[in-house]
Amino acid sequence: MKAVHFLLTLTAFALASFIASAADPSPLQDFCVAVNEPHKALFVNGKFCKDPKLAKAEDFFFSGLNVPRDTHNPVGSNVTQVNVDLIPGLNTLGITLARIDYAPYGQNPPHTHPRGSEILVVAKGTLYVGFVSSNQDGNRLFTKVLKEGDVFVFPIGMIHFQFNPGHVPAVAFAGLSSQNAGTITIANSVFGSDPAINPDVLAKAFQVDKNMIDKLQKQFWFGNDN
């Protein structure tokens, strides 16, 4: 009888643990507004799946990541994201790969990935990289100078950057823990939003003259993600 009570208690704890650990799936797009009528739905959280019997090798393949990208742009970098849009077979697997090319003194500007952590390896050249922790952690800056073969991790949601301090081009490859990690480039989002954020808000937030905000909002903000 005691054994039966023990098994029942153990089962109850197991069920409670399962319920407590349950969670919603991670979002795979910026937003997904609910609709009451199914026939009006255009997107799902991710992609629709094809019949597995119709899958082919090409669904899991991408070629050309060895080709250098054009870095003649305002920030001096070019990010090639190999995500679910390029490899349909990545759907539901929670991973993405990227190639990042840097011109001499080029940078991948401060940005965040709202849906994924990033691990970066330097394949060529030297990079100065870093990320800033949250307000709760005091906005601490973690930086490192990376050589060829060095690896650095950027935790999910943290503002981070890479800068090429060398006289020659640099190349890095990055893996992200989402099939669509998303990218929010800080300067582009704050000063290049559409429509523009009220200049009074930004002037107070950055504690600068409103004329400077007006100038920044009129500037062209380049996106280096492909």
Side-chain angles (χ1 to χ4, degrees):
M1 191 68 178
K2 289 183 178 179
V4 173
H5 283 301
F6 175 77
L7 287 174
L8 289 174
T9 302
L10 189 62
T11 302
F13 274 118
L15 287 172
S17 175
F18 173 77
I19 294 171
S21 64
D24 291 332
S26 298
L28 296 174
Q29 54 204 42
D30 287 347
F31 39 78
C32 185
V33 181
V35 292
N36 294 323
E37 299 297 331
H39 69 274
K40 294 182 179 179
L42 296 178
F43 298 98
V44 294
N45 188 21
K47 304 283 187 180
F48 290 105
C49 299
K50 68 159 63 175
D51 185 337
K53 295 180 181 179
L54 301 179
K56 50 188 178 180
E58 285 74 17
D59 293 331
F60 305 91
F61 175 78
F62 174 82
S63 181
L65 212 58
N66 61 312
V67 180
R69 269 51 179 183
D70 183 14
T71 56
H72 292 87
N73 56 59
V75 296
S77 70
N78 192 317
V79 180
T80 303
Q81 292 197 39
V82 185
N83 54 26
V84 69
D85 293 326
L86 294 182
I87 303 182
L90 279 177
N91 192 34
T92 75
L93 299 185
I95 53 174
T96 300
L97 181 66
R99 173 189 172 118
I100 313 168
D101 290 84
Y102 310 83
Y105 307 111
Q107 65 169 295
N108 193 8
H111 62 282
T112 71
H113 300 298
R115 295 181 289 274
S117 297
E118 175 180 349
I119 183 168
L120 179 139
V121 57
V122 178
K124 175 183 177 182
T126 300
L127 291 177
Y128 168 67
V129 306
F131 71 87
V132 180
S133 67
S134 66
N135 296 357
Q136 289 86 346
D137 189 58
N139 301 124
R140 289 190 294 155
L141 174 63
F142 296 78
T143 63
K144 196 76 176 176
V145 175
L146 306 181
K147 308 288 187 181
E148 292 182 16
D150 288 345
V151 177
F152 198 80
V153 172
F154 306 104
I156 183 172
M158 300 291 99
I159 295 175
H160 60 284
F161 62 87
Q162 301 107 37
F163 171 69
N164 177 11
H167 301 283
V168 297
V171 179
F173 291 90
L176 297 105
S177 60
S178 172
Q179 71 182 55
N180 187 8
T183 301
I184 302 173
T185 304
I186 307 305
N188 299 37
S189 299
V190 173
F191 299 112
S193 66
D194 183 19
I197 298 174
N198 188 313
D200 292 325
V201 173
L202 297 182
K204 191 172 186 66
F206 287 93
Q207 300 180 40
V208 297
D209 187 86
K210 183 180 174 182
N211 291 329
M212 180 174 291
I213 298 298
D214 290 335
K215 181 178 179 180
L216 288 169
Q217 289 185 320
K218 291 177 182 177
Q219 182 173 318
F220 172 73
W221 294 97
F222 178 80
N224 63 341
D225 278 37
N226 293 317

